[in-house]
Amino acid sequence: MAEDSTPSGRLERLVEAGKAVIPPLTLLSALLFYFGYVSARSQYEYFGVDVDTIGLGTQDYIMRSPEPLLTPLLVYAAAGAGSVAVHAAVRRRIHPEAAARTVRRMRRLGRGGQVAGLAALISGLLLLLGYPFLRDWRPYGLMTPLLIAAGSTLSGSGAAVGRLLRSPAPATPLRRTSTAFVYLVVAVSAFWMTATVAQWSGRGLAMDQANRLDKLPSVILDTKESLFLRSPGVQETKLPASEGQTFHYRYRHLRLLIHGKDRMFLVVDKWSASDSTIIVPLDDSVRVQFQFQNQPP
């Protein structure tokens, strides 16, 4: 019971309570949803559309998450494997029969890691404090958490090497708490970096899409009234009057950007900074035709 009153014991109870309240599958789904949402928001913001107006569901955002998450997960896996390999190599060199020269080299390595980690950590914290002045700097969202995570990891690893070189001692509650704090800082930094990468991924997808608008489905739009579209490239034709004809205007050179719950988002087939995204409701006020591709079967 005495051990449960320590900070480490309280932390372990908190983690176990968190597992009971938030099952791992629910947490994973929430993370996939969030990163998919960040990527989609950045992607459609490029076309002037607030992603919340599209009406995408939870499953839609989860399905969009693998692309922005692929690169960060590979990097984290490689970094984790590298850390395990380095840790194993250091432990193999540190043993009771190790030569004095090896011990001195390991001690210098540990101190060097602590110094480098402290320098990186201070740099990251300075960037964090300078957010009001540096928030428009494009690499800010990646460099700041990267420096904080790398600094925390190097400082903790350097201190661990120093402890291994000394006579073994049981882990104190303060050491366990500090180790848990380092893990928390690294996890939060990794979350921040992943969100930044997801945002960049969404913007990259949008720019690639804008560069190849001709690959999107071609749409012919008929309306009852003129839409007074002023985007360059849109062709408006007045349909000939006939008995029973309710649609009087036809628009060509439009492409389907995305299909929402009850509406379509159309763009011109050639990107221009003066273009706008057209929101078309799926009801009897419009008539929509999708053209075949020009490539014959």
Side-chain angles (χ1 to χ4, degrees):
M1 296 298 293
E3 184 180 356
D4 290 340
S5 63
T6 63
S8 176
R10 289 195 295 270
L11 179 62
E12 291 176 0
R13 291 199 304 273
L14 182 61
V15 172
E16 292 299 326
K19 289 181 180 179
V21 175
I22 307 177
L25 184 58
T26 302
L27 178 61
L28 177 61
S29 299
L31 290 175
L32 292 177
F33 170 84
Y34 175 76
F35 293 124
Y37 176 83
V38 169
S39 178
R41 185 174 188 84
S42 179
Q43 178 180 358
Y44 294 108
E45 187 180 43
Y46 184 80
F47 295 98
V49 178
D50 186 345
V51 72
D52 293 329
T53 65
I54 300 176
L56 298 177
T58 301
Q59 185 177 0
D60 297 314
Y61 290 120
I62 291 177
M63 294 294 292
R64 290 170 177 268
S65 62
E67 186 164 2
L69 288 180
L70 180 60
T71 299
L73 290 179
L74 289 176
V75 172
Y76 296 154
S83 300
V84 171
V86 171
H87 182 73
V90 171
R91 288 189 68 91
R92 283 197 302 268
R93 288 178 173 271
I94 300 176
H95 52 84
E97 293 79 15
R101 183 178 179 181
T102 301
V103 173
R104 288 195 300 269
R105 186 181 302 169
M106 291 294 102
R107 185 174 287 112
R108 286 196 300 269
L109 177 65
R111 290 175 180 173
Q114 285 183 289
V115 171
L118 185 60
L121 185 58
I122 292 175
S123 300
L125 293 177
L126 289 176
L127 286 175
L128 190 63
L129 293 175
Y131 173 77
F133 311 100
L134 300 173
R135 58 186 178 184
D136 293 331
W137 183 42
R138 182 169 174 78
Y140 179 86
L142 187 64
M143 289 301 301
T144 303
L146 179 61
L147 287 172
I148 293 176
S152 301
T153 303
L154 287 174
S155 298
S157 300
V161 171
R163 289 194 298 267
L164 288 173
L165 292 171
R166 296 191 293 269
S167 56
T172 63
L174 179 60
R175 185 190 303 174
R176 289 195 292 264
T177 303
S178 62
T179 301
F181 180 73
V182 169
Y183 288 153
L184 178 62
V185 170
V186 172
V188 173
S189 300
F191 182 88
W192 186 358
M193 286 188 288
T194 306
T196 301
V197 172
Q199 186 178 16
W200 289 359
S201 174
R203 180 54 61 92
L205 286 172
M207 297 178 71
D208 180 69
Q209 203 170 27
N211 194 43
R212 300 188 297 172
L213 290 175
D214 58 326
K215 303 299 182 182
L216 297 178
S218 180
V219 175
I220 299 176
L221 177 66
D222 294 344
T223 63
K224 297 179 180 180
E225 298 178 353
S226 175
L227 300 180
F228 298 100
L229 300 180
R230 295 295 178 261
S231 296
V234 177
Q235 179 184 352
E236 180 186 89
T237 304
K238 191 170 183 178
L239 299 175
S242 61
E243 185 178 355
Q245 176 67 269
T246 58
F247 297 97
H248 306 292
Y249 294 89
R250 173 164 292 177
Y251 295 91
R252 295 180 180 271
H253 303 295
L254 295 174
R255 300 281 175 167
L256 177 64
L257 177 64
I258 188 172
H259 178 275
K261 184 178 181 180
D262 55 358
R263 64 194 71 180
M264 294 189 306
F265 294 79
L266 307 179
V267 293
V268 186
D269 57 6
K270 291 185 179 179
W271 185 88
S272 172
S274 60
D275 285 340
S276 58
T277 301
I278 307 164
I279 304 177
V280 177
L282 289 177
D283 54 25
D284 57 2
S285 65
V286 297
R287 182 171 59 194
V288 179
Q289 303 176 58
F290 290 96
Q291 287 183 289
F292 285 175
Q293 294 189 4
N294 291 331
Q295 182 180 1

